[in-house]
Amino acid sequence: MAKKLALIASKGSLDWAYPPFILASTAAAMGYEVHIFFTFYGLTLLKKDISDLKVSPLGNPAMPMPIPMPNLAQMLPGMESMATMMMKQKIAKKGVASIEELREACLESGVKLIACQMTVDLFDFKPTDFIDAIKFGGAASFFEFAGESDISLFM
Amino acid sequence: MMEFDKEVDARNLNCPLPILRCKKGLSDMLGNQTLKIMATDPGSEKDFAAFCKQTGHELLQLDKTENVFTFYIKKRNVA
């Protein structure tokens, strides 16, 4: 029987988009059956266009910066865009996969993507905002799979 | 010189791409065929060993040069 991995993806920033998609695509490649439940800001990762994901240095003191920068400067207009641009350049230069690429790998290998119905309603998202290959579900549907999983992680 | 049936170049790619390329490369091969895959990701040595152990494919040989790992992987016989 295939091992099972259940993930909850709750964050929608460029940096935090990586852990669920890296682990899910790798687990699927290793023969795991994988479900990811996307809730709150994690729902952003299921949108058709995810090219505008951002990373913010604000409230993120461990983020490596080229020069030390006080919080007050990090909130200036344009800082978030600059940090995002720098991160994307670094990602490309170091041969790290793009989020689009990892999400595609997940879909190709049969990872099931579930959107939290409650959050969809809460934020007034429309089903058409999202890629087609997803299902909608609630907490109970997460447990249906997670209860039989070998590994379950919240991120 | 190790013989192989298919070659995949995963150099200059970072985790988890070499493993994903490996899985993709193996997917249209027959059981007992050998895949040659090259990677430069320093973590790939451990990752490929773990991948093979979990999936049942056999890591026949690993050649290490200065910064390139070349893996020869025999696909699990899916009989």
Side-chain angles (χ1 to χ4, degrees), chain B residues 7 9 26 35 43 48 50 53 55-56 59-60 72-73 76:
Chain B
E7 186 173 354
D9 185 358
L26 287 166
L35 173 73
F48 274 79
K53 200 175 158 197
T55 52
L59 182 54
L60 297 174
Y72 294 89
I73 296 168
R76 186 168 56 119

Side-chain angles (χ1 to χ4, degrees), chain A residues 83-102:
Chain A
T84 302
M85 195 183 72
M86 279 164 36
M87 178 78 93
K88 284 190 171 172
Q89 283 170 353
K90 226 176 171 53
I91 284 167
K93 192 170 145 228
K94 301 264 178 171
V96 171
S98 69
I99 290 301
E100 287 88 346
E101 197 174 0
L102 290 172

Side-chain angles (χ1 to χ4, degrees), chain B:
Chain B
M1 190 65 191
M2 195 79 189
E3 286 190 12
F4 55 91
D5 301 286
K6 185 174 174 181
E7 186 173 354
V8 170
D9 185 358
R11 287 176 297 179
N12 301 317
L13 297 176
N14 222 314
C15 170
L17 288 176
I19 290 292
L20 299 184
R21 294 284 193 275
C22 177
K23 155 81 179 170
K24 205 170 194 172
L26 287 166
S27 63
D28 60 356
M29 291 171 68
L30 302 169
N32 294 326
Q33 283 191 323
T34 300
L35 173 73
K36 173 187 178 183
I37 178 162
M38 290 169 292
T40 47
D41 171 14
S44 61
E45 184 176 6
K46 272 206 158 72
D47 277 352
F48 274 79
F51 172 78
C52 289
K53 200 175 158 197
Q54 285 256 312
T55 52
H57 305 303
E58 189 185 346
L59 182 54
L60 297 174
Q61 191 176 315
L62 162 59
D63 295 335
K64 282 187 261 188
T65 60
E66 204 167 323
N67 40 28
V68 181
F69 299 97
T70 306
F71 303 90
Y72 294 89
I73 296 168
K74 186 161 96 171
K75 183 169 175 168
R76 186 168 56 119
N77 201 357
V78 277

Side-chain angles (χ1 to χ4, degrees), chain A:
Chain A
M1 253 257 299
K3 289 202 174 206
K4 291 183 182 180
L5 169 67
L7 300 178
I8 295 181
S10 70
K11 297 181 181 71
S13 54
L14 177 64
D15 46 352
W16 277 96
Y18 275 91
F21 285 132
I22 287 182
L23 292 177
S25 58
T26 306
M30 294 173 86
Y32 282 63
E33 194 185 324
V34 187
H35 285 215
I36 316 177
F37 186 79
F38 294 83
T39 188
F40 277 81
Y41 315 112
L43 274 181
T44 302
L45 307 181
L46 293 178
K47 289 195 167 170
K48 284 183 180 130
D49 181 13
I50 45 173
S51 61
D52 61 346
L53 295 180
K54 290 184 180 65
V55 60
S56 177
L58 199 59
N60 195 359
M63 183 174 164
M65 297 291 279
I67 43 168
M69 203 168 282
N71 268 323
L72 200 65
Q74 286 167 13
M75 58 184 279
L76 293 173
M79 282 305 297
E80 191 178 81
S81 306
M82 200 183 81
T84 302
M85 195 183 72
M86 279 164 36
M87 178 78 93
K88 284 190 171 172
Q89 283 170 353
K90 226 176 171 53
I91 284 167
K93 192 170 145 228
K94 301 264 178 171
V96 171
S98 69
I99 290 301
E100 287 88 346
E101 197 174 0
L102 290 172
R103 187 172 77 175
E104 198 51 43
C106 285
L107 290 170
E108 272 175 21
S109 51
V111 173
K112 300 274 191 307
L113 309 177
I114 297 107
C116 169
Q117 182 68 60
M118 182 276 282
T119 323
V120 172
D121 296 342
L122 178 67
F123 291 148
D124 291 318
F125 288 139
K126 288 183 287 297
T128 50
D129 293 337
F130 304 111
I131 51 173
D132 295 331
I134 63 167
K135 288 203 165 63
F136 296 87
S141 66
F142 170 76
F143 283 109
E144 190 185 2
F145 180 78
E148 299 173 347
S149 293
D150 301 278
I151 304 169
S152 192
L153 299 170
F154 177 92
M155 41 190 61

